[in-house]
Amino acid sequence: LAKLMSDSEPSIRVKTQSCNSLVEFLRGLLNDDLTPEESVKLISNYTSDLVKLLSQLFEFSLTKSYYPLQEASLSAISLLSNLLEKNFAPYYDQLMPGLKKLFFGLNAQSAEQKKLKSNTIETMSFLCSSIAEDRDKYIKDLNEIANAFLNYMKTIPEEDPQLTSIINGFTHLSLAMKDKFEPILQQLL
């Protein structure tokens, strides 16, 4: 599966379908009868290679402006971070800069762009949750993200599906920031 997602595979559609297979596998791990510890143990041997591969795949999808692969690779990153929770923290510094670049740079006008931005918000949120135990090291970044979500939320209509992602994102940010989330909460209220 990894070989089919790598640079050695010339077909972008094969890369996308392979990544979608990974997405379904990760969803299965999240929804399986396994305990969270068993799921983490099952995937942990592959995590480092998967993160590297998915990062490259996501960058490739952005340069090619190929939405199906953007969606699949971002979903895989999001599911992997959700599955591994705090065990995903070592990959925060590798992934968050690109996600922030996409969040701040994407002017979501079409339904496709809104969905991509929504998935970016969700992935950023899961990454924020992963660093909760080391929040003091990342508090500046967490504040920047929380304020960016807050400001962006003010610019979109209530019926926009991105709003749900932002609200869910605040849940993850509040868990990561703990008492440092209070100024954001005051603004939300």
Side-chain angles (χ1 to χ4, degrees):
L1 193 62
K3 186 176 180 182
L4 293 173
M5 291 187 288
S6 73
D7 291 337
S8 64
E9 173 55 53
S11 171
I12 197 166
R13 289 188 173 149
V14 171
K15 288 176 187 277
T16 303
Q17 196 57 37
S18 301
C19 194
N20 281 327
S21 296
L22 176 62
V23 166
E24 291 309 314
F25 174 75
L26 294 171
R27 276 194 185 121
L29 283 178
L30 278 169
N31 299 323
D32 203 342
D33 291 337
L34 297 174
T35 66
E37 294 79 19
E38 291 170 327
S39 295
V40 168
K41 186 177 179 184
L42 185 67
I43 198 73
S44 63
N45 291 337
Y46 308 103
T47 303
S48 182
D49 292 334
L50 278 176
V51 169
K52 182 178 179 186
L53 179 62
L54 290 170
S55 295
Q56 292 169 345
L57 202 57
F58 186 60
E59 288 296 321
F60 175 76
S61 72
L62 291 174
T63 57
K64 295 293 184 182
S65 296
Y66 189 65
Y67 176 75
L69 186 55
Q70 292 169 351
E71 176 75 20
S73 55
L74 196 56
S75 293
I77 293 168
S78 183
L79 287 164
L80 191 58
S81 64
N82 188 14
L83 178 69
L84 293 172
E85 295 177 344
K86 67 181 180 182
N87 296 311
F88 202 72
Y91 308 104
Y92 181 92
D93 291 327
Q94 180 180 347
L95 295 169
M96 189 56 83
L99 292 168
K100 284 170 52 177
K101 182 179 176 184
L102 181 61
F103 174 79
F104 288 113
L106 180 62
N107 184 11
Q109 299 298 316
S110 69
E112 197 173 81
Q113 291 169 330
K114 288 179 181 182
K115 189 169 183 189
L116 180 61
K117 192 149 188 172
S118 184
N119 287 342
T120 302
I121 292 165
E122 288 177 7
T123 305
M124 291 171 72
S125 302
F126 287 132
L127 276 172
C128 289
S129 290
S130 75
I131 58 166
E133 291 181 3
D134 204 11
R135 74 148 185 187
D136 291 336
K137 178 181 174 184
Y138 294 100
I139 197 65
K140 182 179 176 191
D141 209 32
L142 291 168
N143 270 317
E144 178 190 17
I145 293 166
N147 280 302
F149 285 2
L150 186 65
N151 291 332
Y152 186 61
M153 184 176 88
K154 294 174 185 176
T155 67
I156 55 178
E158 280 188 36
E159 65 276 0
D160 194 312
Q162 296 174 94
L163 192 57
T164 302
S165 296
I166 291 172
I167 292 169
N168 290 338
F170 284 131
T171 303
H172 294 282
L173 281 162
S174 67
L175 292 172
M177 295 174 74
K178 297 177 179 65
D179 61 321
K180 303 285 186 193
F181 187 74
E182 187 177 345
I184 302 297
L185 182 61
Q186 292 300 323
Q187 292 182 61
L188 283 170
L189 295 176

